[in-house]
Amino acid sequence: MGSAVAQCPHGITSHSTGNLGQKKLGYSSRCSKFPCQLDFARFGLLHQGSSAASSSDHSTEFGRRINAVPDMDDMFWDKVPTPLLDMVENPIHLKNLSVQELKELASEIRSELSCIMSEKPNSLKASLAVVELTIAIHHVFHAPVDKILWDVGEQTYAHKILTGRRALMRMMRQKNGLSSFTSRFESEYDSFGTGHGCNSVSAGLGMAIARDIKGKRDRVVTVISNATTLAGQVYEAMSNAGYLDSNMIVILNDSRRSLHPKIEQEPKTSITALSSTLIKIQSSKSFRKFREAAKGITKRIGRGMHELAAKFDEYARGMIGPQGSTLFEELGLYYIGPVDGHNLEDLICVLQQVSSLDSMGPVLIHVITEDNHQDAECNEKIEADNPQEVLSAGYDDSVSSSVQTRTYSDCLVDSLLMEAEKHKDIVLVHAGMEMEPSFQVLQETFADRFFDVGMAEQHAVTFSAGLSRGGLRPFCIIPSTFLQRAYDQVVHDVDRQKIPVRFVITSAGLVGNSGPVYCGAFDVTFMSCLPNMIVMAPSDEDELVDMVATAAQIDDRPVCFRYPRGAIVRTDHFMHPGIPLEIGKGRVLVEGKEVALLGYGAMVQNCLKAQALLSRLGIEVTVADARFCKPLDTELLTLLCENHKFLITVEEGSIGGFASHVAQFIALNGHLDGTVKWRPIVLPDSYIENGLPEEQLARAGLSGHHIAATVLRLLGRVREALLLMC
């Protein structure tokens, strides 16, 4: 068995030993059992000396955390042998593998991911579909020198395994563990962070232009998916890429999934031996040069001949490619495809030919993949271990404690069903990356009144405004984190025109193991600053039902209400008919002395927990439920300020939200000039990483214990506050 040391880019050194069959891999390893004696200092999960790491304390801290690897003997599980994968510590180790060995590696990665899927609540099918594509990309290109960008986090799991993070895959979405998206703070192989999708082409084009200006020659590869092509930014970026004509490669991973069942039922594009040959010709350097030369000749002959040749070229390429393929040509990208995304020979051939093209402009490679492309044995195992996941793949409600737990979304659906019986003009518009299982009931019940637009949040908002102007009552359901993308439409197409659109903001606040990407921290701030918007939040499921009824009654201005992801407060599951609330009126839940806790939304429950803790210490505090951020209940605020020494506002939102409106009122009306002292408790001015909901609330200082400790410190009982936090 040979031994060698392979020098990798950015100073990574790999030591391994091992043979695969009769062929040496050309590198050596200190350990034959990859995970068990893993030395993560060599992996470059975070290049500690890099500018990315030094740019923020957070990134450096995360780099230190990610290298603290648990005992691998305790972490790994009984699984099929993966001898090839055990030898791969980073992408450089793929370079000397034959196609047959790469196929075996794909099977091992798929097996590894399937084992992870059997214990993870979220779907990994998107990553299973792109295993061969991921291997081909890393086999052909030289990351991290070449920049590889991804649009969708779920498609990056194989990429994470191949770039030194295999041992930490079980810690994904856990405290101090891996992100489920690409992150510059996690690995130098992640060129750009993945968030809500549709950003990779824009960011990749920026990197390509920067490369050209600096005179470098690295490659830029971006991978987009069906879902992200619903967002307008992708086409904006492609159009600009075609205009700038900079070298970059866009790979469209087409999993043949659509929001429209009729489209999915249509005949699928077939990939034959003939089409495979044509694609290889199409991607070859000689063909591209011949095509460019032909364009030049026809231009010199005359405009008429050039236009005729262009039409013939478009017609011929349209005949070869699938329906709609000429769209990318119109945007200025050279289209190649469709390519079988599970045929490694074709993938490698096309990628190698495209990577060799210099000064040929942007290229789009259309790759066809199948979400269920895996071994039948793995499929059976997944379905047996996760029967619920088969029904609702992709949605991860990390806050819910069990499958049977009733959620706020369940209550929303029931209340909307009741209101829709009263108001036949209610219509529902849903936007976002995934649809919660609860909303599928609405989709089935109101097939002609439920519109799922996917990742087209901007369209969803203006579409809802149009529905309203047409005489209907639209409820626009968007997760808090995705509503951010449509803010311009909220301002100009809805609020400025006082159009009554009812925004249902789901997954508000902290979202557990979904981390900062899905965290809904900012909606109260950016919605409550709009002049015509009514902004409210329920403290429990009963108020949620009432707020649905309230929103249905409002017909002269827009309104929004938010609710958290996860389980409801009560467990009896009783649903009462919604009763419209008086606009701008809160309520007092518990009367006490000296200290008043004014909660907004779900944080009212934590105020009640704090009140119970303080009551045991002989301290009686007032607890009030604000209900409305805008308009504020000024009478309630005045009452609380005049009858208490301390006022504490509590909200699960960013700085500038509910507390800001309270501060504006009590300052302008002189309440702070008297004896009352005001303290706001809000989310910290930082992104809170993955963790259990309780852990995130504790880090944010929003748990019942933290609120009670704040009260004790204000009363001068510091020792008891410290004991309470122990």
Side-chain angles (χ1 to χ4, degrees):
M1 184 176 291
S3 177
V5 177
Q7 295 294 334
C8 308
H10 292 265
I12 304 171
T13 305
S14 173
H15 302 268
S16 342
T17 58
N19 294 339
L20 294 175
Q22 300 298 318
K23 179 176 179 177
K24 294 183 179 180
L25 291 178
Y27 68 94
S28 62
S29 172
R30 291 177 185 168
C31 55
S32 57
K33 295 182 179 179
F34 166 65
C36 301
Q37 303 174 22
L38 198 58
D39 180 6
F40 265 75
R42 297 179 291 149
F43 271 26
L45 283 175
L46 180 68
H47 199 50
Q48 300 290 348
S50 67
S51 59
S54 61
S55 63
S56 71
D57 294 336
H58 168 74
S59 60
T60 306
E61 178 187 359
F62 189 74
R64 288 195 296 267
R65 291 202 310 262
I66 202 87
N67 284 324
V69 181
D71 187 340
M72 295 298 110
D73 291 325
D74 295 334
M75 186 174 176
F76 273 76
W77 58 96
D78 292 334
K79 56 183 178 62
V80 297
T82 54
L84 267 169
L85 183 56
D86 293 345
M87 292 293 189
V88 176
E89 297 182 1
N90 58 59
I92 200 172
H93 299 149
L94 301 180
K95 304 300 180 185
N96 292 334
L97 295 181
S98 67
V99 172
Q100 181 57 40
E101 288 167 340
L102 291 174
K103 290 179 180 179
E104 294 174 11
L105 178 64
S107 178
E108 292 180 11
I109 292 175
R110 188 166 278 111
S111 173
E112 184 102 348
L113 287 172
S114 297
C115 289
I116 295 171
M117 179 183 285
S118 68
E119 296 182 7
K120 287 286 182 181
N122 59 307
S123 171
L124 297 179
K125 289 186 177 181
S127 264
L128 289 171
V130 296
V131 168
E132 286 84 2
L133 176 60
T134 305
I135 290 173
I137 289 172
H138 280 296
H139 178 75
V140 173
F141 297 98
H142 302 278
V145 176
D146 291 336
K147 305 300 185 292
I148 301 172
L149 294 81
W150 304 81
D151 248 4
V152 179
E154 287 184 347
Q155 294 183 6
T156 64
Y157 298 168
H159 163 77
K160 286 177 181 281
I161 287 176
L162 292 174
T163 53
R165 289 167 276 184
R166 178 190 181 192
L168 289 174
M169 291 298 290
R170 285 281 169 154
M171 297 176 64
M172 188 179 295
R173 289 192 173 193
Q174 297 180 22
K175 184 179 179 181
N176 299 340
L178 290 180
S179 168
S180 56
F181 303 90
T182 55
S183 170
R184 295 190 306 110
F185 306 128
E186 186 176 291
S187 171
E188 62 183 343
Y189 291 98
D190 294 350
S191 301
F192 200 83
T194 306
H196 296 160
C198 80
N199 65 352
S200 66
V201 181
S202 298
L205 178 60
M207 293 179 182
I209 296 299
R211 171 203 63 202
D212 296 343
I213 291 173
K214 290 187 174 183
K216 296 182 178 180
R217 294 178 59 83
D218 50 280
R219 307 282 191 251
V220 177
V221 181
T222 70
V223 184
I224 64 176
S225 72
N226 300 72
T228 55
T229 56
L230 294 173
Q233 184 182 352
V234 171
Y235 300 100
E236 294 170 10
M238 287 184 183
S239 178
N240 194 217
Y243 172 76
L244 295 174
D245 204 35
S246 182
N247 269 14
M248 68 178 296
I249 300 166
V250 179
I251 299 175
L252 170 58
N253 170 38
D254 182 0
S255 59
R256 297 175 173 178
R257 293 178 65 182
S258 171
L259 293 173
H260 310 288
K262 291 181 180 179
I263 295 177
E264 290 191 345
Q265 292 168 7
E266 291 178 358
K268 297 180 179 179
T269 304
S270 61
I271 301 175
T272 63
L274 176 60
S275 64
S276 178
T277 303
L278 290 174
I279 290 162
K280 292 174 183 176
I281 295 172
Q282 196 179 6
S283 62
S284 67
K285 190 172 184 178
S286 56
F287 180 80
R288 288 290 304 277
K289 285 186 173 181
F290 171 77
R291 186 169 180 261
E292 294 301 319
K295 282 183 180 180
I297 293 171
T298 56
K299 279 183 181 179
R300 286 194 290 270
I301 293 174
R303 182 176 178 180
M305 178 61 72
H306 176 67
E307 290 179 354
L308 181 63
K311 287 181 180 179
F312 177 77
D313 178 65
E314 180 180 349
Y315 176 77
R317 291 172 61 73
M319 290 291 290
I320 296 173
Q323 185 178 3
S325 60
T326 55
L327 167 65
F328 303 108
E329 292 276 345
E330 293 295 329
L331 291 171
L333 282 75
Y334 182 76
Y335 175 87
I336 298 172
V339 183
D340 185 350
H342 304 293
N343 187 320
L344 272 165
E345 291 98 331
D346 285 359
L347 284 170
I348 291 171
C349 176
V350 170
L351 290 175
Q352 283 177 338
Q353 296 199 101
V354 170
S355 68
S356 67
L357 298 175
D358 292 320
S359 303
M360 289 290 185
V363 174
L364 183 132
I365 304 174
H366 183 187
V367 175
I368 303 291
T369 60
E370 297 286 349
D371 279 354
N372 294 319
H373 184 84
Q374 53 186 313
D375 297 335
E377 183 179 344
C378 292
N379 262 327
E380 291 174 4
K381 184 181 190 319
I382 293 165
E383 293 179 9
D385 292 344
N386 294 279
Q388 181 67 21
E389 183 180 349
V390 175
L391 298 175
S392 57
Y395 180 73
D396 173 24
D397 191 350
S398 60
V399 179
S400 298
S401 58
S402 70
V403 176
Q404 301 302 322
T405 302
R406 186 169 169 79
T407 67
Y408 276 94
S409 289
D410 294 329
C411 292
L412 173 73
V413 169
D414 290 343
S415 59
L416 284 173
L417 289 172
M418 287 191 291
E419 290 301 319
E421 290 300 319
K422 301 178 194 174
H423 306 283
K424 301 300 181 181
D425 55 354
I426 284 180
V427 289
L428 307 167
V429 180
H430 178 271
M433 290 186 72
E434 299 286 351
M435 187 191 298
E436 296 183 36
S438 305
F439 297 143
Q440 293 174 4
V441 176
L442 286 175
Q443 191 175 34
E444 293 167 2
T445 306
F446 299 107
D448 58 338
R449 288 194 276 166
F450 187 97
F451 306 94
D452 180 25
V453 302
M455 289 180 62
E457 294 86 1
Q458 294 172 310
H459 164 65
V461 171
T462 307
F463 176 52
S464 298
L467 290 169
S468 180
R469 291 295 299 130
L472 299 176
R473 297 176 193 248
F475 279 78
C476 186
I477 306 171
I478 305 182
S480 172
T481 187
F482 293 109
L483 184 58
Q484 297 162 185
R485 292 152 61 114
Y487 190 56
D488 184 70
Q489 284 70 28
V490 173
V491 174
H492 292 289
D493 297 342
V494 176
D495 190 75
R496 190 170 61 82
Q497 302 185 57
K498 292 189 71 172
I499 296 177
V501 173
R502 299 144 192 89
F503 292 100
V504 181
I505 305 173
T506 68
S507 296
L510 301 171
V511 289
N513 288 332
S514 291
V517 173
Y518 289 110
C519 178
F522 310 112
D523 59 273
V524 179
T525 299
F526 65 69
M527 294 298 274
S528 63
C529 68
L530 300 177
N532 297 316
M533 187 71 66
I534 295 174
V535 183
M536 52 187 178
S539 63
D540 58 23
E541 60 274 18
D542 291 334
E543 280 192 345
L544 173 61
V545 174
D546 291 340
M547 287 184 182
V548 171
T550 305
Q553 295 287 344
I554 296 171
D555 60 2
D556 62 344
R557 67 187 65 188
V559 58
C560 70
F561 57 92
R562 68 178 340 228
Y563 66 82
R565 181 188 290 188
I568 59 176
V569 177
R570 292 201 329 262
T571 56
D572 56 15
H573 295 183
F574 172 75
M575 277 289 297
H576 72 278
I579 303 172
L581 303 172
E582 183 180 353
I583 302 300
K585 288 297 177 183
R587 58 175 178 162
V588 175
L589 300 176
V590 180
E591 291 190 4
K593 304 174 183 178
E594 289 195 88
V595 180
L597 301 177
L598 179 58
Y600 181 66
M603 286 300 100
V604 171
Q605 300 303 320
N606 284 10
C607 290
L608 290 171
K609 292 177 183 177
Q611 183 268 334
L613 290 169
L614 292 167
S615 181
R616 296 174 195 168
L617 299 175
I619 302 170
E620 299 302 327
V621 300
T622 296
V623 178
D625 174 10
R627 284 181 171 170
F628 291 85
C629 174
K630 189 173 185 178
L632 279 173
D633 187 342
T634 55
E635 291 182 9
L636 175 62
L637 271 174
T638 300
L639 182 70
L640 295 176
C641 289
E642 290 177 349
N643 293 283
H644 299 84
K645 293 182 179 179
F646 303 99
L647 173 64
I648 300 174
T649 56
V650 187
E651 63 179 305
E652 195 177 358
S654 65
I655 298 169
F658 173 69
S660 176
H661 288 264
V662 171
Q664 178 84 354
F665 172 77
I666 62 178
L668 291 179
N669 287 273
H671 295 299
L672 291 178
D673 302 337
T675 58
V676 69
K677 295 180 180 179
W678 168 68
R679 296 290 185 273
I681 302 179
V682 300
L683 288 176
D685 192 22
S686 61
Y687 296 102
I688 297 180
E689 298 297 332
N690 300 338
L692 296 175
E694 302 78 22
E695 296 171 341
Q696 289 189 322
L697 285 172
R699 270 185 271 173
L702 285 169
S703 68
H705 282 73
H706 283 84
I707 297 169
T710 300
V711 173
L712 290 170
R713 282 193 292 269
L714 286 174
L715 295 175
R717 300 169 67 164
V718 179
R719 184 173 180 275
E720 288 171 290
L722 293 173
L723 289 173
L724 189 63
M725 297 308 300
C726 292

